[in-house]
Amino acid sequence: PRTPWPKVSQVTLADQAHAAIRERILRGAMHLGEFVREQDVSVKLGVSRTPVGEALEQNMDLTRQRLSE
C-alpha cells in the first residue's frame, strides 16, 4: 500500500516572522516605524534575513496604509 504524503503548512517563514513582529508591536515591545536591523531580528527568530526582510516590508506597507488613512 502507498503511504500518503503528509500535509505541509501553508504558512511561510515570512508570514511567521510577520506574526512575531506584529505580536511584539501589539505587546508594546516594538513600535511601528521603529528602526530594526534585519540581521538582529533574523538571529532572534532563528531564520535567514530574507523572510525577515519580507516581514518588515509587510509591516512598512501597513504603516504607510495607516498614515494615508
Side-chain angles (χ1 to χ4, degrees), residues 42-67:
S42 67
V43 167
K44 290 174 182 164
L45 293 177
V47 298
S48 71
R49 288 176 50 193
T50 300
V52 171
E54 292 172 10
L56 291 172
E57 185 63 37
Q58 288 176 356
N59 282 310
M60 286 178 18
D61 289 344
L62 287 174
T63 301
R64 284 187 209 107
Q65 285 177 347
R66 289 187 178 145
L67 290 174

Side-chain angles (χ1 to χ4, degrees), residues 13-53:
L13 287 176
D15 291 337
Q16 293 176 57
H18 175 73
I21 293 166
R22 183 177 185 278
E23 181 63 28
R24 288 185 61 81
I25 291 169
L26 292 174
R27 286 185 300 153
M30 285 178 72
H31 304 285
L32 279 176
E34 176 181 337
F35 176 79
V36 293
R37 291 182 60 226
E38 280 181 19
Q39 176 92 21
D40 294 341
V41 176
S42 67
V43 167
K44 290 174 182 164
L45 293 177
V47 298
S48 71
R49 288 176 50 193
T50 300
V52 171

